[in-house]
Amino acid sequence: MRFKLEKRAEPSRLMLVITPIASVLLTMAIGVVVFDLLGIDGFRAVVDIFISPILLSYKWQDVATKAAPLIIIALGLSIGNRANVWNIGAEGQYIIGALCAAGIGIAAGTAGGPLVIVTMLLAGMVGGTTWSAIPAGLKTRFGVNEILSSLMLTYVAVQVLGYLVGSPWKDPNGRNFPATAPLQPDQTLPILIPGTTVHLGIAIALVLPFVFWLVMSRSVFGYQVRVVGSAPNAARHGGFDNNQTVWLSMLIGGCMAGLAGALEFAGALKAINLGFPSGYGFTAIIVAFLGRLHPIGVLIAGIVLAITYVGGQVAQTTVKIPNATAGIFQALMLFFILASDVLVRNRIRIVRPAKAVPVPAPGE
């Protein structure tokens, strides 16, 4: 008896739903085993990482704050991924978006109010869009791989951040610490729930998935993205321009990353320092795939990944695990979700060896 992969006529919808859940559960199971082998209470560590942030009510606001940028960035990336356009530089676009928002805040001085806040958010979106336009132009004009160009621009963005917060934008009252001056109280996003850190950006992150779902399922653009990603030759014959799809996908991804950076700056941090690059742009890639590139799936996956961030902090104090543990779990989930794509496109069939037919002896 042996097992054989047999290609499905079409991807399994059931497996599309089951495999992300199985990836999370398998990650938890492996975590228990690995921690036990390291001499750490594996069950307690996994519970603290994946369950405690849900059970501890005072951690919910932390989960919401972490989930918001992940969801917004992943929504933009999911459009590009569905069109086979791979924007790996969302972290850089996130940084540039935050810097553009900070520039508006610095230029506004002590002025504040809704107009300044809206201008900051728009500046963040424009900044992220502009940064993503560079790899889009390089790909459509010169055929440069967008994976490499967008990724390299992330490191350029980090250098731009270091220069600005270390010299022209450095807070003169910051005791020579490389950081921008904090925003004025009326330049920050309004708090939705008094006494918490739940700001307007979190509400935006909860609404956007439904907007993206409508666009992707009910618009010509959504149909164009799906066709270009699944059947580029058919899309070309259908009149869809591949270069146009590249441009739109990259610009939307950059716009969302820039918006996430502006919201994070104006809502959660209120200042930018050298520690601002948080890896959200890279983690959002995991969110997009764990959510199966579907807007509602991205919403759920963003919350799951945010739980691992907050749970990792909880487990650091309870079972003394390293700070990088959350990142390891996130990488495991990405590995399992990518590996499980085999089951989405193929089914496992048991092949039994054929029974030997007896050969009659001569003369019989």
Side-chain angles (χ1 to χ4, degrees):
M1 182 179 67
R2 61 189 180 88
F3 297 98
K4 179 182 178 182
L5 286 176
E6 186 178 78
K7 192 171 181 62
R8 300 177 188 269
E10 60 182 23
S12 170
R13 293 182 179 273
L14 179 62
M15 284 297 176
L16 281 172
V17 176
I18 290 178
T19 49
I21 300 172
S23 297
V24 175
L25 295 177
L26 189 55
T27 300
M28 295 170 67
I30 289 180
V32 171
V33 174
V34 170
F35 281 131
D36 281 338
L37 291 175
L38 294 175
I40 299 172
D41 186 345
F43 181 78
R44 174 71 184 279
V46 169
V47 166
D48 284 340
I49 292 173
F50 288 92
I51 308 298
S52 292
I54 303 173
L55 299 180
L56 301 174
S57 59
Y58 61 89
K59 288 294 182 181
W60 293 354
Q61 58 184 323
D62 295 338
V63 171
T65 303
K66 293 284 187 184
L70 291 175
I71 293 168
I72 295 173
I73 298 172
L75 285 171
L77 295 181
S78 65
I79 289 183
N81 292 344
R82 293 191 72 168
N84 285 330
V85 178
W86 308 102
N87 178 8
I88 309 299
E91 180 76 1
Q93 296 146 26
Y94 165 84
I95 293 170
I96 294 298
L99 289 174
C100 290
I104 297 297
I106 293 171
T110 57
L115 180 60
V116 172
I117 294 173
V118 171
T119 305
M120 289 168 60
L121 298 184
L122 290 175
M125 295 167 71
V126 171
T129 303
T130 303
W131 208 247
S132 67
I134 300 173
L138 290 173
K139 179 178 178 63
T140 55
R141 182 68 179 85
F142 302 105
V144 177
N145 188 299
E146 75 276 16
I147 296 175
L148 297 177
S149 58
S150 61
L151 179 61
M152 292 301 101
L153 282 169
T154 297
Y155 301 101
V156 177
V158 172
Q159 297 303 316
V160 172
L161 180 146
Y163 166 72
L164 291 176
V165 303
S167 184
W169 288 3
K170 185 163 67 173
D171 182 6
N173 299 318
R175 298 181 180 179
N176 208 34
F177 185 75
T180 62
L183 290 173
Q184 300 297 318
D186 54 356
Q187 292 178 338
T188 61
L189 295 178
I191 297 296
L192 300 182
I193 303 176
T196 70
T197 58
V198 178
H199 54 76
L200 180 62
I202 295 172
I204 293 174
L206 293 176
V207 171
L208 278 177
F210 299 96
V211 175
F212 271 69
W213 174 76
L214 286 174
V215 171
M216 293 302 295
S217 61
R218 299 290 187 271
S219 71
V220 175
F221 170 70
Y223 178 70
Q224 175 180 341
V225 168
R226 295 196 303 273
V227 172
V228 170
S230 59
N233 291 330
R236 191 160 43 250
H237 289 296
F240 294 131
D241 186 348
N242 184 64
N243 284 346
Q244 181 189 62
T245 306
V246 171
W247 271 102
L248 290 174
S249 300
M250 289 294 294
L251 294 183
I252 291 173
C255 181
M256 290 298 100
L259 174 61
L263 291 172
E264 186 74 0
F265 164 67
L269 301 179
K270 303 175 181 60
I272 295 180
N273 56 35
L274 294 178
F276 182 79
S278 56
Y280 285 149
F282 297 117
T283 306
I285 298 172
I286 304 176
V287 172
F289 280 102
L290 190 63
R292 286 301 186 190
L293 306 181
H294 189 284
I296 308 305
V298 165
L299 172 61
I300 298 171
I303 295 172
V304 171
L305 268 292
I307 287 172
T308 64
Y309 269 117
V310 177
Q313 296 169 359
V314 173
Q316 282 182 60
T317 58
T318 56
V319 291
K320 311 302 180 184
I321 64 171
N323 184 39
T325 302
I328 295 173
F329 277 108
Q330 293 163 6
L332 274 175
M333 279 188 278
L334 177 61
F335 173 79
F336 289 133
I337 196 67
L338 293 177
S340 65
D341 279 347
V342 175
L343 299 178
V344 174
R345 297 181 176 86
N346 302 272
R347 62 169 56 88
I348 299 175
R349 189 162 65 89
I350 299 175
V351 179
R352 300 182 183 279
K355 292 183 179 180
V357 179
V359 180
E364 289 186 5

